[in-house]
Amino acid sequence: MATDCDWTAGTGDAAGSGTAAATSATTVEGPVSALLLLVTGRDTAALPLLSGPGLPALAERLAGPGARRA
């Protein structure tokens, strides 16, 4: 979710449960510029600019086996 403009993407429900608790637990937010860095593969630059309860899971997923490095 962008914090500096009106933009969101996805449901935030990586586990597929569809519950409000799952959605809030997987939320990652920050300036739209950081989100664009993230979706274009610039993980190293984006992660320090992001926050939210879903950030640890995102960072772990990006650091996992076969993860891209940017």
Side-chain angles (χ1 to χ4, degrees):
M1 176 175 7
T3 56
D4 57 348
C5 69
D6 186 23
W7 184 79
T8 61
T11 63
D13 182 13
S17 69
T19 66
T23 301
S24 64
T26 57
T27 299
V28 175
E29 55 190 27
V32 72
S33 58
L35 296 170
L36 288 172
L37 285 170
L38 183 65
V39 300
T40 58
R42 302 288 310 276
D43 308 344
T44 304
L47 288 176
L49 303 172
L50 300 171
S51 63
L55 187 58
L58 174 63
E60 183 178 325
R61 179 179 253 173
L62 292 172
R68 63 181 189 245
R69 301 287 185 249

PDB file of all heavy atoms in Angstrom, residues 10 13 21 27 38 51 64:
ATOM      1  N   GLY A  10      -3.297  -5.986  -4.765  1.00  0.00           N
ATOM      2  CA  GLY A  10      -3.472  -7.286  -4.131  1.00  0.00           C
ATOM      3  C   GLY A  10      -4.365  -7.235  -2.918  1.00  0.00           C
ATOM      4  O   GLY A  10      -4.877  -6.198  -2.531  1.00  0.00           O
ATOM      5  N   ASP A  13      -3.216 -11.254   1.106  1.00  0.00           N
ATOM      6  CA  ASP A  13      -3.553 -12.550   1.657  1.00  0.00           C
ATOM      7  C   ASP A  13      -2.734 -13.639   0.969  1.00  0.00           C
ATOM      8  O   ASP A  13      -3.243 -14.398   0.162  1.00  0.00           O
ATOM      9  CB  ASP A  13      -5.046 -12.790   1.474  1.00  0.00           C
ATOM     10  CG  ASP A  13      -5.505 -14.091   2.069  1.00  0.00           C
ATOM     11  OD1 ASP A  13      -4.753 -14.699   2.823  1.00  0.00           O
ATOM     12  OD2 ASP A  13      -6.620 -14.497   1.757  1.00  0.00           O
ATOM     13  N   ALA A  21      -7.767 -10.575   9.187  1.00  0.00           N
ATOM     14  CA  ALA A  21      -6.545 -10.720   9.980  1.00  0.00           C
ATOM     15  C   ALA A  21      -5.365 -11.068   9.085  1.00  0.00           C
ATOM     16  O   ALA A  21      -4.264 -10.550   9.248  1.00  0.00           O
ATOM     17  CB  ALA A  21      -6.729 -11.784  11.055  1.00  0.00           C
ATOM     18  N   THR A  27       0.352  -6.894   5.230  1.00  0.00           N
ATOM     19  CA  THR A  27       0.450  -5.576   4.618  1.00  0.00           C
ATOM     20  C   THR A  27       1.882  -5.064   4.646  1.00  0.00           C
ATOM     21  O   THR A  27       2.573  -5.149   5.652  1.00  0.00           O
ATOM     22  CB  THR A  27      -0.457  -4.570   5.358  1.00  0.00           C
ATOM     23  OG1 THR A  27      -1.801  -5.022   5.248  1.00  0.00           O
ATOM     24  CG2 THR A  27      -0.334  -3.176   4.799  1.00  0.00           C
ATOM     25  N   LEU A  38      10.638  -2.066  -5.605  1.00  0.00           N
ATOM     26  CA  LEU A  38      10.414  -3.463  -5.247  1.00  0.00           C
ATOM     27  C   LEU A  38       9.894  -4.273  -6.437  1.00  0.00           C
ATOM     28  O   LEU A  38      10.438  -5.335  -6.746  1.00  0.00           O
ATOM     29  CB  LEU A  38       9.431  -3.550  -4.082  1.00  0.00           C
ATOM     30  CG  LEU A  38       9.152  -4.938  -3.544  1.00  0.00           C
ATOM     31  CD1 LEU A  38      10.404  -5.537  -2.920  1.00  0.00           C
ATOM     32  CD2 LEU A  38       8.033  -4.889  -2.525  1.00  0.00           C
ATOM     33  N   SER A  51       7.608  -0.557   5.368  1.00  0.00           N
ATOM     34  CA  SER A  51       7.248  -0.942   6.735  1.00  0.00           C
ATOM     35  C   SER A  51       5.976  -1.776   6.683  1.00  0.00           C
ATOM     36  O   SER A  51       5.406  -1.996   5.621  1.00  0.00           O
ATOM     37  CB  SER A  51       7.022   0.306   7.599  1.00  0.00           C
ATOM     38  OG  SER A  51       5.940   1.061   7.093  1.00  0.00           O
ATOM     39  N   GLY A  64      15.224 -15.911   0.125  1.00  0.00           N
ATOM     40  CA  GLY A  64      15.199 -17.381   0.042  1.00  0.00           C
ATOM     41  C   GLY A  64      15.949 -17.931  -1.144  1.00  0.00           C
ATOM     42  O   GLY A  64      16.474 -17.191  -1.980  1.00  0.00           O
TER      43      GLY A  64
END
